[in-house]
Amino acid sequence: MQKLNLSQVLSQKLSPQQIQFIKLLQVPTAELEARVEEELEINPALEEGREEEKAESDEMDYEDSYEDDLGYDDKDINLDDYLNDDYGGYKMQGDGNYSPDEEDREIPISSGVSLQDQLLTQLGFLKLDERQKIIGRQLIGSIESDGYIRRDLEAIINDLAFSQNIETDIDEVEEILRKIQSFDPSGIAARNLQECLLIQLERKEHPDDPTVQNAIRIINECFDEFTKKHYPKIQKKLDIGDEEIKEAVNLITRLNPKPGGISDGLVKTQYIIPDFILTNTDGKLEITLNSKNAPELRVSRSYSEMFDAYEKSDKKDKKLKETVTFVKQKLDAAKWFIDAIKQRQQTLLKTMQAILDYQYEFFLEGDETKLKPMILKDIAEKIDMDISTVSRVANSKSIQTEFGIFPLKYFFSEGITTESGEDVSNKEVKSVLQSMVDQENKKKPLSDDKLVKMLNDKGYNIARRTVAKYREQLQIPVARLRKEL
């Protein structure tokens, strides 16, 4: 079987198998097992397990039978290619690609999932009739990933009329919405930030506490002033003292502005499994593939035995010929899939090794300031592959190091020229910027102009608009909104 060369085929019309390989290359480790299971289900010629040793007497003169009786050229298929140990035991042990103790060293990290199922479960606990349940499900289905309902309730009412044949009104929908807003996590199903914060405050364990009451008044009566941090105006309007407003603001800032973004102990946890494991042995860095990237697969021996049966049978049997044709197709597909998995491993390792070599100083210590500017083209040129191939490898892949798990996209960044003419990663500049903000006097936070001057003093040639862009990417508010009492 001819090897796929992605750098060549990506610019041409791709065959179905080439498209399948590209998709397989993009699959993260966590999903690879499901993809393998799917292939095992649809192809009986593919089996799990290591290929067994074969006795020499088991080998068949497969090529002659096909060329003479079915009209296939001997280049079409070679049974040895399907049944040899190269494809049966292809985990590549001993060449640095797999380590048997990877299972013990693997540290998966958790990632939140949608709250919709949990909200539907809580809906089932309410004593609602079928009509109310349908309205409730429609409202829950309108909750966005951050926990808010931003669709106008009139639009939801129209959806219920057209799709569910249910006539309702604002009062009924709002009544059921208030019930959903009592669900966990607190603040869910709010229509805006103000409502989200109020829901959480009203559900506090001691809602009559003066601090809670002041916080509710601030959100209810002075929300605009609060968002702009105009604290003196709030104090004057509500007639509260310095200590009172400080306690109330501290309470509000501890609330969750995105209730859909946390599990709150309710949502099942799914695990992000790193695709690569990095080990540091006395300063020597080594990359291995996660063992889940190397499932043991083999071609079915029973299918090869069908060819043996064909050799000993009446070669004029039309049905048997059709059966053998089917078997050949399945053998082709099984051998291709095993080869594609192997090529996937090789491409992943080749790409990750190039990233390691490029960012070697970072991988030694985990110091973000040691990251070099690196774009997809840099790695593509090092491994002689297409940029789109590197992009596919970097997408949804991660590496486990002794100082954390990092997505591969983390290591790619543009460069900034310093005063000395040296190129540094914009991640280094962002790290310095974050440090400056962390250390600033919160009563007199640094303006963007001041941050630019400080960065320039450190040798980073950077414009104000770039500082503003990096600040936004780091989710750092403008100076006025960083001000504290």
Side-chain angles (χ1 to χ4, degrees), residues 349-362:
L349 280 167
K350 191 174 183 180
T351 305
M352 187 64 242
Q353 186 63 51
I355 294 172
L356 171 64
D357 293 342
Y358 207 101
Q359 304 287 10
Y360 202 84
E361 289 188 21
F362 168 83

Side-chain angles (χ1 to χ4, degrees), residues 439-450:
Q439 296 172 21
E440 71 184 358
N441 181 350
K442 295 304 178 184
K443 292 185 179 180
K444 295 181 180 178
L446 301 168
S447 66
D448 284 356
D449 287 331
K450 182 63 175 175

